[in-house]
Amino acid sequence: MPGLEDLYREIILDHYRSPRNRGELPSPPAHRVEGFNPLCGDEVVVSLDVADGQLRDIKLAGSGCSISQSSGSLMSAAVKGKPIDEVRELIRVFKTMMSVHEASLGDDRTTGAEDSPAEPEPVDVSKLGELAALQGVVKFPVRIKCATLSWNALTQGLDELASA
Amino acid sequence: MTVHDPIDVEVIRKDFPLLTRTVHDRPIVYLDSASSSLQPRQVLAAMDHYYETTHANVHRGVYATAEGATELYEGARRKVGRFIGAPDPKREIVFTKNATEALNLVANSWGRSNLAKGDVVVLTEMEHHANLVPWLMLAESIGLSLRYLPIDGQGRLDLSDLDRIVDGAKVVALSAMSNVLGTINPVPTIAEAAHRAGAVVVVDGAQSVPHLPTNVTTLGADFLAFSAHKMEGPTGIGVLWGRAELLAAMPPFLGGGGMILDVSLEGFTPAEPPWRFEAGTPPIAEAVGLAAAVDYLTGVGMEHIVAHERLITTYAIEALHERLGPDCTIFGPPPGGDRGGVLSLAYRDVHAHDLAQVLDQFGVCVRPGHHCAKPLMRKLGVTATARASIGLYNDERDIDTLIEGLNHVGTVFG
Ligand SMILES: Cc1ncc(COP(=O)(O)O)c(C=O)c1O
């Protein structure tokens, strides 16, 4: 049985209490994306400053639960200043971690995991650094949507910029 | 002063099998009846017995079980009608999928044949999306003018401008009890003003019918919608009560088998109400379950249920204030005659999702979120609350566990 300590790791609570990269960038020039969880009303606004293949700056605004807020804060710290292809790779690894197949959860509960691949590829959590603290979320399937909220908004923003 | 509790909760609790299960090694503390209630074994047994002995499609066969199923289904209709004081129980009860479908039926069938561009529909600021979105959809399609009765600082409807707001309205549609604030609205007063203005009164009874004695005539309703699964019955069946002459003048909502008198390749003649509004095979076992739920509630006594739930609600509000002080905010009116057992809570600035997650570890089932009332949440200035709601099987210990859990929230989130 998963316990609360699997979910509310110290790093997560720290990012919840003191979120990094909080706020909005003036838009334009920054690109602005809104993410929305209709289930619980959580909202996130991601501002992106992308130039020369680099995510030069990122800020997050909005409100939500500890998981959505800390996941956004951890994400912003991890991607800020990175080349876009590295950001994309990090998003992929993170989303894979969030979509583990129920078999790898160690019990027989079904997950609400997003886009569950038929054969989950193993995730190299060492690539994730502090973000690995969010691993426990998959044991609480209804919270996965909270954890992926800002990541989906970031993906949408990068896609919009790429096709602009 | 101790007030006598007319209900022996220990006895009641033995009727609800789900209350014997544990969650995270703790006894379940079910505080989500506003979302969906639990079912007593009597309801489950009635449905099993129906499937084991009588199941057949209704209104079709001439063989014994088909007749038996039809009699059970129509008997459920009459029983539900009597439960809410319907003047003509046989003709005025329409079985739907749930309260939501019942309200959509009114907005579409009655609404489309009686409303035109510019007509005024009055709702309230505390409506569940089920009594808001169907009217918004109709407004989008035919161009209605929507007005709202506002709420005051304590979560009651502000009626100071009632006559002006309902003036010229064709419809006044409101919930008899809020699923967020627990407010029991003065429907008879509002219905009187609405009728004086010539409006039809649509009452969303999803929260009130399970918890308060209901009489459609004293309410002053023209339509009343509710769901079985919030009143100890099964999912999959809801009820629309409508005044016979209103139903008689309404066109069908869904088309298909069972709702016609005659069909040719050129057209059809609809059946009489209520069958006109029940296209296709209805929820027969669910109707049987609903009838058993009505028997159960009547057996306990709606007056007793009100008294018991008021005791627990008052205990909860007082204990939350006393033991948690300013850390805990309860939305809605203080204890009293217009205060139902729905407690929307905030604890410090911890998000409702996190509250509910910690409470789950204590076996406590509460609902985080906007409770399908986003305009109301905006008015309250929150995006989500954690809602604890009380049913006839809850007692003071359930509230104590809720508070124990909330205290732990303080520990986790510091
Ligand atoms: C006040 C109110 N109206 C309508 C509904 C809709 O009920 P259902 O989902 O059973 O159609 C609910 C329950 O969620 C409610 O609380």
Side-chain angles (χ1 to χ4, degrees):
Chain A
M1 183 195 75
L4 282 180
E5 57 290 349
D6 290 316
L7 190 63
Y8 299 125
R9 304 269 174 82
E10 204 38 60
I11 299 173
I12 291 178
L13 291 173
D14 174 55
H15 277 260
Y16 174 50
R17 291 189 194 108
S18 357
R20 323 295 198 263
N21 303 303
R22 187 87 193 142
E24 289 191 45
L25 298 169
S27 166
H31 187 69
R32 193 172 175 281
V33 209
E34 287 177 20
F36 203 64
N37 184 345
L39 227 57
C40 57
D42 283 6
E43 289 169 11
V44 64
V45 179
V46 181
S47 312
L48 304 174
D49 173 6
V50 174
D52 308 324
Q54 288 248 327
L55 180 53
R56 292 197 307 196
D57 202 359
I58 178 169
K59 285 210 183 297
L60 270 81
S63 65
C65 68
S66 61
I67 301 302
S68 74
Q69 296 303 292
S70 63
S71 179
S73 171
L74 282 157
M75 175 187 86
S76 70
V79 300
K80 187 172 162 170
K82 291 266 165 65
I84 297 302
D85 42 1
E86 263 182 55
V87 174
R88 291 265 192 199
E89 174 59 13
L90 191 67
I91 294 174
R92 195 191 61 77
V93 175
F94 181 78
K95 295 272 290 193
T96 311
M97 177 173 86
M98 283 298 138
S99 63
V100 285
H101 197 258
E102 55 259 59
S104 54
L105 282 178
D107 62 24
D108 60 1
R109 64 155 79 205
T110 42
T111 73
E114 299 194 326
D115 324 310
S116 300
E119 276 302 318
E121 49 177 314
V123 191
D124 184 3
V125 288
S126 67
K127 281 192 199 164
L128 287 169
E130 282 200 326
L131 285 166
L134 286 159
Q135 215 176 353
V137 175
V138 291
K139 296 181 191 165
F140 298 82
V142 290
R143 305 301 292 275
I144 291 174
K145 288 245 184 301
C146 311
T148 53
L149 181 66
S150 14
W151 294 81
N152 290 339
L154 173 61
T155 308
Q156 188 191 331
L158 294 178
D159 289 349
E160 285 168 3
L161 285 166
S163 64
Chain B
M1 188 186 78
T2 49
V3 186
H4 173 67
D5 189 339
I7 283 187
D8 186 343
V9 187
E10 284 313 312
V11 174
I12 296 279
R13 290 175 71 89
K14 291 204 172 71
D15 289 333
F16 290 82
L18 205 142
L19 288 175
T20 60
R21 76 162 277 181
T22 55
V23 176
H24 308 311
D25 300 327
R26 300 188 57 134
I28 191 167
V29 174
Y30 193 74
L31 289 171
D32 197 20
S33 297
S35 186
S36 198
S37 70
L38 303 178
Q39 289 70 35
R41 69 169 109 246
Q42 291 85 336
V43 166
L44 308 174
M47 293 175 74
D48 275 353
H49 184 72
Y50 161 75
Y51 274 125
E52 285 165 7
T53 64
T54 318
H55 175 69
N57 212 330
V58 292
H59 306 143
R60 313 257 207 281
V62 293
Y63 49 90
T65 52
E67 270 181 17
T70 304
E71 183 36 46
L72 282 174
Y73 183 68
E74 293 301 325
R77 191 192 305 284
R78 293 190 298 272
K79 181 161 284 174
V80 169
R82 289 193 299 272
F83 182 64
I84 58 166
D88 190 353
K90 221 172 123 188
R91 299 217 149 64
E92 294 179 331
I93 298 293
V94 179
F95 285 133
T96 62
K97 186 170 62 172
N98 47 33
T100 302
E101 189 182 274
L103 291 161
N104 275 275
L105 199 170
V106 176
N108 282 279
S109 171
W110 186 90
R112 285 187 185 276
S113 48
N114 288 278
L115 298 175
K117 190 171 162 57
D119 280 348
V120 173
V121 171
V122 175
L123 308 168
T124 83
E125 286 182 342
M126 64 168 80
E127 293 315 302
H128 187 282
H129 296 167
N131 193 34
L132 174 56
V133 180
W135 300 109
L136 291 172
M137 288 167 69
L138 191 60
E140 215 166 71
S141 137
I142 65 175
L144 300 171
S145 160
L146 300 178
R147 290 184 198 152
Y148 293 91
L149 285 168
I151 58 165
D152 68 16
Q154 284 204 320
R156 295 190 178 95
L157 288 177
D158 174 356
L159 300 184
S160 51
D161 237 359
L162 176 62
D163 284 321
R164 197 187 54 77
I165 293 172
V166 300
D167 184 43
K170 289 270 172 69
V171 179
V172 175
L174 78 160
S175 144
M177 176 170 147
S178 163
N179 68 313
V180 175
L181 301 164
T183 318
I184 299 167
N185 289 323
V187 177
T189 309
I190 296 165
E192 207 185 302
H195 285 149
R196 249 186 281 126
V200 157
V201 175
V202 181
V203 179
D204 174 356
Q207 294 298 335
S208 67
V209 171
H211 301 283
L212 304 167
T214 302
N215 181 295
V216 290
T217 309
T218 33
L219 265 183
D222 296 300
F223 292 103
L224 175 72
F226 53 101
S227 282
H229 70 93
K230 294 185 201 281
M231 52 188 286
E232 282 66 36
T235 57
I237 188 167
V239 177
L240 175 68
W241 169 84
R243 264 189 21 234
E245 59 273 32
L246 292 175
L247 291 177
M250 282 158 57
F253 174 44
L254 302 172
M259 49 70 73
I260 48 89
L261 216 52
D262 189 26
V263 185
S264 70
L265 294 179
E266 285 71 43
F268 71 95
T269 315
E272 291 299 303
W275 304 282
R276 183 184 298 169
F277 307 104
E278 296 178 356
T281 300
I284 310 167
E286 288 74 9
V288 170
L290 171 55
V294 166
D295 281 340
Y296 187 83
L297 294 176
T298 315
V300 177
M302 290 307 292
E303 295 293 349
H304 292 170
I305 292 174
V306 174
H308 168 74
E309 292 181 356
R310 191 156 293 156
L311 276 178
I312 304 303
T313 304
T314 304
Y315 176 84
I317 294 175
E318 286 171 357
L320 284 161
H321 281 321
E322 270 162 31
R323 292 185 227 164
L324 300 174
D327 281 345
C328 180
T329 308
I330 307 170
F331 298 95
D338 65 351
R339 183 55 156 109
V342 179
L343 304 170
S344 271
L345 306 174
Y347 183 82
R348 299 193 193 158
D349 57 355
V350 179
H351 192 277
H353 258 181
D354 294 313
L355 285 182
Q357 192 83 59
V358 175
L359 290 172
D360 172 59
Q361 295 292 312
F362 288 77
V364 176
C365 312
V366 301
R367 169 139 307 214
H370 54 61
H371 318 299
C372 299
K374 291 199 85 171
L376 174 59
M377 302 304 278
R378 256 176 229 124
K379 176 104 181 188
L380 298 175
V382 293
T383 51
T385 68
R387 183 184 68 181
S389 53
I390 288 154
L392 74 166
Y393 32 65
N394 291 118
D395 59 13
E396 285 89 349
R397 278 174 314 178
D398 293 337
I399 305 302
D400 294 341
T401 312
L402 168 71
I403 295 174
E404 184 194 349
L406 287 170
N407 268 318
H408 190 66
V409 171
T411 321
V412 175
F413 287 91

